[in-house]
Amino acid sequence: MSPRVPVVQPGSTCQPDTRKGVAPPAHQIVHPDNDADLQAVHKWLLAQPVTDLLRTATDDAVRYILDGARTWRFDLLDPKVDSDERSAVGTKLQYHIIERLGLKKVPPLDTEIVDVAVEIKGTVRDGYVWMIPREGQCQVTLLVRIDPKNHRFAAWLMRTHRVWLTGGDGNQDKKRSTLAGPVRAFAMPVVSWTDLPPEPLRLLNLDQLEVVFGDAGLRKRATALFTYLPETVIPRSSLVTVGAGLHDPMKRIREAKVPLRNDHDLIVLVGTWVDERQTARAFGHDLGEEGWVAVPRSRFAEVGVTVPPLRTHD
């Protein structure tokens, strides 16, 4: 086991790599507590509903890469997701974060916050490893780590000094990765480990997955899905994933409400309808405008709620 590299401390001199033939001036590393720009960006981020916004942005980026509506994929660890696609999550993430935080794309880095240039980097790797481009060296950087195994994410803010990055010449794009020691010592927490929006398809066992993604018609497969996951809110994106490749899959899924109600005594509530959203809240379910949930008919009598009319249209 190789010895741990000592962390270069504040007060030391840092020399960024030459970029476009120009060597940026060396500078002294300032402790994060005394870094005015870093503190200003951190304060701005924490003044936002940053956990919810970054959670949504991260989920958006993951779902964009998985492209479930076309591919049937719903998990970054699916063998059908190659390493290049997993790496691309970080690239897409910066755009989703900029959009969700109400920022703009501003060169030479990714954006600006309180007039401070900010780089945004995401990773799905284990450990504290983000790839930092040359223009991002010694700049304020928002670091987002996605843990696909545990379906969660976390975020930090750090000035990614050159001396806190790996040595050598970098990769073929001249990017260098962060060293774990400086990240642990000097990165400022923005979002602690937080679960991503649930993906109910991850709850299915292998036998159930074979049925839900099997050869039967979509109405039968959707019926099976709701019988496997009663009282579980299923977002529209998950339903579209089950119906990937089919024209108007939601029409067939809506048709599944009939056998679910008649043959399985399961009443499907859909967030599209205001009264069904309100009914779902009586059972503790927040559907938003796109969630679906199957509730046993017996539960309606238990809580004194009227069963809504059957709707097989939008």
Side-chain angles (χ1 to χ4, degrees):
M1 185 176 184
S2 59
R4 180 173 293 182
V5 178
V7 176
V8 177
Q9 296 297 309
S12 303
T13 299
C14 180
Q15 173 62 63
D17 288 328
T18 297
R19 181 167 176 256
K20 295 183 178 179
V22 178
H27 58 276
Q28 188 179 67
I29 299 174
V30 176
H31 192 282
D33 291 347
N34 302 318
D35 187 330
D37 285 349
L38 185 71
Q39 290 291 332
V41 174
H42 191 251
K43 181 179 179 180
W44 185 89
L45 287 170
L46 296 189
Q48 318 304 314
V50 68
T51 298
D52 289 341
L53 293 174
L54 292 188
R55 182 175 185 255
T56 301
T58 303
D59 186 55
D60 288 344
V62 170
R63 291 184 184 276
Y64 181 93
I65 294 300
L66 292 175
D67 193 11
R70 186 177 61 84
T71 65
W72 278 1
R73 302 180 310 189
F74 56 88
D75 189 336
L76 278 177
L77 298 180
D78 189 317
K80 296 176 184 176
V81 181
D82 63 39
S83 59
D84 287 343
E85 289 180 298
R86 276 189 284 272
S87 297
V89 173
T91 303
K92 294 299 179 185
L93 180 59
Q94 61 176 286
Y95 296 102
H96 289 289
I97 288 177
I98 288 170
E99 178 184 4
R100 291 293 175 179
L101 290 179
L103 301 171
K104 294 181 179 179
K105 179 71 175 173
V106 181
L109 303 184
D110 291 322
T111 190
E112 283 186 355
I113 297 176
V114 291
D115 296 324
V116 177
V118 176
E119 184 80 0
I120 300 173
K121 287 298 162 191
T123 185
V124 296
R125 301 186 186 192
D126 292 334
Y128 298 93
V129 180
W130 290 266
M131 300 305 297
I132 308 300
R134 292 209 167 182
E135 64 270 20
Q137 290 182 14
C138 308
Q139 302 297 321
V140 175
T141 306
L142 179 62
L143 304 169
V144 180
R145 181 179 164 196
I146 302 168
D147 176 3
K149 182 177 180 181
N150 295 298
H151 202 57
R152 60 180 186 165
F153 83 103
W156 298 264
L157 192 71
M158 180 182 181
R159 189 178 288 279
T160 48
H161 287 289
R162 166 64 186 87
V163 294
W164 290 345
L165 308 177
T166 51
D169 296 324
N171 66 5
Q172 61 184 3
D173 295 324
K174 299 188 181 300
K175 294 179 181 179
R176 299 182 185 276
S177 59
T178 51
L179 293 167
V183 175
R184 292 193 184 98
F186 299 116
M188 302 172 66
V190 174
V191 177
S192 58
W193 283 112
T194 299
D195 289 340
L196 289 167
E199 174 46 82
L201 298 175
R202 291 166 58 97
L203 301 175
L204 301 174
N205 62 39
L206 291 178
D207 290 339
Q208 292 169 338
L209 285 170
E210 286 185 1
V211 174
V212 171
F213 289 95
D215 297 328
L218 179 54
R219 185 173 71 172
K220 290 184 178 179
R221 294 191 286 116
T223 300
L225 173 64
F226 284 105
T227 59
Y228 293 150
L229 300 175
E231 300 270 15
T232 300
V233 176
I234 302 177
R236 188 180 189 278
S237 57
S238 299
L239 297 174
V240 172
T241 298
V242 173
L246 298 176
H247 175 68
D248 195 7
M250 296 309 296
K251 177 179 184 295
R252 295 174 174 84
I253 292 172
R254 288 192 295 272
E255 292 171 350
K257 291 181 180 181
V258 177
L260 284 164
R261 182 176 291 224
N262 295 341
D263 302 333
H264 301 277
D265 278 335
L266 288 171
I267 309 301
V268 176
L269 304 175
V270 181
T272 301
W273 304 96
V274 174
D275 62 323
E276 293 190 16
R277 276 206 307 269
Q278 295 172 341
T279 299
R281 290 193 190 102
F283 301 106
H285 302 304
D286 181 4
L287 298 183
E289 295 184 358
E290 295 194 338
W292 293 46
V293 66
V295 179
R297 188 189 296 270
S298 60
R299 292 269 283 131
F300 286 80
E302 290 175 6
V303 300
V305 175
T306 301
V307 174
L310 177 64
R311 294 162 169 144
T312 57
H313 61 286
D314 284 332

